[in-house]
Amino acid sequence: MCGISGYIGKKEGLQIVLGNLRKLEYRGYDSAGVAFFNLGANAEIIKTVGKLDNLERALRGKRSLSATAAIGHTRWATHGAPNQVNAHPHSDCRGEIFLVHNGIIENYQDLKSELIGKKHRFRSQTDTEVLTHLVEEYGFEWALKKIVGAYAIALINKKEPQKLYIARLGSPLVVGVGEKEYYIASDPTALAGLVKKVIYLKDGQRGVLSLGGLEIGPARPKIEKLDIDPEQAQKGHFPHFMLKEIFEGPEVLRSALRGRLSADKGTVKLGGLEGVTDKLKNIKKLEILACGTSYYSGLAGELLFEELTNLPTEVMLASEYRYAKHPIKKGTAALLISQSGETADTLAALRKANHQKNLTLGIVNAVGSSIARETVAGVYNHAGPEIGVASTKAFLSQLGVLALMALYLSPKKTAAHREIMRELAILPEKIKMVLAQSGKIKQLAKKYLKYKNFLYLGRGYNYPTALEGALKIKEIAYVHAEGYAGGEMKHGPIALIDRDFPTVALATQNRVYEKMLSNLEEIKARSGPILAIATVGDKKIARLANDVFYVPKTVEVLEPILNIVPLQLFAYHFGTLCGYDVDKPRNLAKSVTVE
Ligand code: M6R
């Protein structure tokens, strides 16, 4: 959600800022802008609505003055329509201060009234503009003291063109440390290939960057290694990031397991949890908190933990948990799942759990992110940057890590546990077999393209998969789809079934297979078209389903890892056949950093 880019150094700052805004495009935006000092040493601010191409056109022929700072922003509208006036950067009355902001200023109405009383003139409907006038009135430090809310801020000032002011509270901001130059970005992915060292600003940290060095406080900044391969943030030969990331599935799962799973020895090692081993032995209940796709992987995690460890587990939407009057018993641990590690609701849920003195654990993909830092212990996904707005590879790796965690926490390893370990180790090859049939799924997508509504049905481990499959097609192809548990069909959705309402049925051969067949009988009896995901070698299913996509057999607890892949591909092909930009679906942001 919104992207911040900035640079101070001797290079062509404007081009760097623009280049990095491109890398942040995937976060979702509807307008963009930059502020910089031009070759005549005048401050310029250029903003456009729509894609970055528009901004680049408006900037054609313009260059920034060396050794001065430049800032840029991609805006995803929250307060005020997505138009040029509301786009960032914003400036003060005198046009001297330029500022970009991610987050929300909660008390902006009060501050605005106060500033209007002091004769400040406002141009936009945004909460952000209040910041520029506050800085004009009180200076940077005091302005920060007056605001309530969340922010990542970058500011330049005509009076000090060689300085770049930054601050963070609740919204991510990273400083890339180069040789006598600094980059800033709201996401470290943008800095890959530009710097090797970064500072992940902590909440409450603020400071100023200049050619002479950096001054950040009050907490001392910690310089860390940036571990992102720039190639991972490129599409390569794939037409879309989403397809590339789906095809990364086998490697993503391998990375999640590498150095952790030893199927031969029957052991699982999770370095990130070693510091809390004793505490983990005593936990009585696990609460999984997450949003969106991460929540669905949490639902599969609940089944895994309860089956493999006997640990009572409850999954809650982080957005509900944060406001719920939820009794927390002693010995409860909270497990936060997040790809970005910055989702506002998940972060708020984590802070609530930390406040309640629960042991907090994380499964996070983005290294150095807020959730990774604020959990007591955790396991990284190691899936690499996920650029497509629709989460795909992160889901696979979350499921892989959840399986590892459940195995790690199981007090003794039975033959069943050992079989799961062996199967996990060979699962990447089975995912490859599914991916090899992407063409077949495209044909199916073509056939089903005429339908406007879908039911996604699954039971047991296939239920979270059904929910996630339905979410994918909603996000990418703007098709209405409902994920449902098979057993619930008779309690309502069966009323919808007719020849125009197809069901995508997850009907692999597991302990609820026969029950799923009964559901399919009921759908068939009402002329509902059925597209089934079934196990290779299944002889019964073709009699019931209009179309069948076969997946290799695996152990039931790992089925979501395999069965989601055809549904991701189905959504991808459906969306591209409709001509949509599947990497940047409308109205969605990659990282939802506001409530
Ligand atoms: O970064 P997170 O995993 O915390 O994000 C959670 C959701 O915002 C995310 O999964 C969202 O639902 C995606 N658009 C799913 O494709």
Side-chain angles (χ1 to χ4, degrees), residues 291-294 338-340 343 389-391 472 475 592:
C291 300
T293 292
S294 301
S338 175
Q339 186 289 126
S340 62
T343 301
V389 165
S391 197
K472 286 290 87 90
E475 289 184 295
V592 184

Side-chain angles (χ1 to χ4, degrees), residues 382-449:
H382 295 319
E386 188 177 66
I387 310 286
V389 165
S391 197
T392 53
K393 65 175 179 174
F395 185 66
L396 256 65
S397 68
Q398 286 166 350
L399 294 168
V401 172
L402 282 162
L404 285 179
M405 241 189 206
L407 290 164
Y408 178 81
L409 292 179
S410 55
K412 54 176 193 243
K413 311 282 182 277
T414 63
H417 289 96
R418 287 199 165 238
E419 196 198 345
I420 295 165
M421 291 186 201
R422 281 193 297 275
E423 194 57 29
L424 251 183
I426 58 169
L427 212 50
E429 289 309 313
K430 295 189 177 176
I431 299 173
K432 269 192 190 165
M433 291 178 200
V434 176
L435 292 172
Q437 299 178 71
S438 176
K440 174 160 189 209
I441 297 172
K442 187 172 180 180
Q443 290 312 315
L444 289 168
K446 264 189 197 150
K447 182 170 173 188
Y448 283 78
L449 213 52

Side-chain angles (χ1 to χ4, degrees), residues 221-281:
K222 187 171 156 214
I223 298 189
E224 299 177 42
K225 193 170 153 233
L226 179 65
D227 224 354
I228 300 177
D229 175 358
E231 284 217 352
Q232 286 183 314
Q234 307 290 327
K235 267 191 277 200
H237 63 275
F238 287 93
H240 298 99
F241 278 109
M242 183 177 173
L243 190 63
K244 176 184 178 241
E245 287 161 3
I246 295 172
F247 270 79
E248 280 173 3
E251 190 44 39
V252 156
L253 185 59
R254 263 189 221 108
S255 314
L257 305 179
R258 194 167 293 129
R260 294 168 171 170
L261 172 72
S262 173
D264 303 341
K265 292 190 201 138
T267 56
V268 172
K269 243 181 84 182
L270 291 174
L273 299 186
E274 272 166 16
V276 291
T277 313
D278 289 341
K279 285 189 180 157
L280 284 173
K281 278 187 195 140

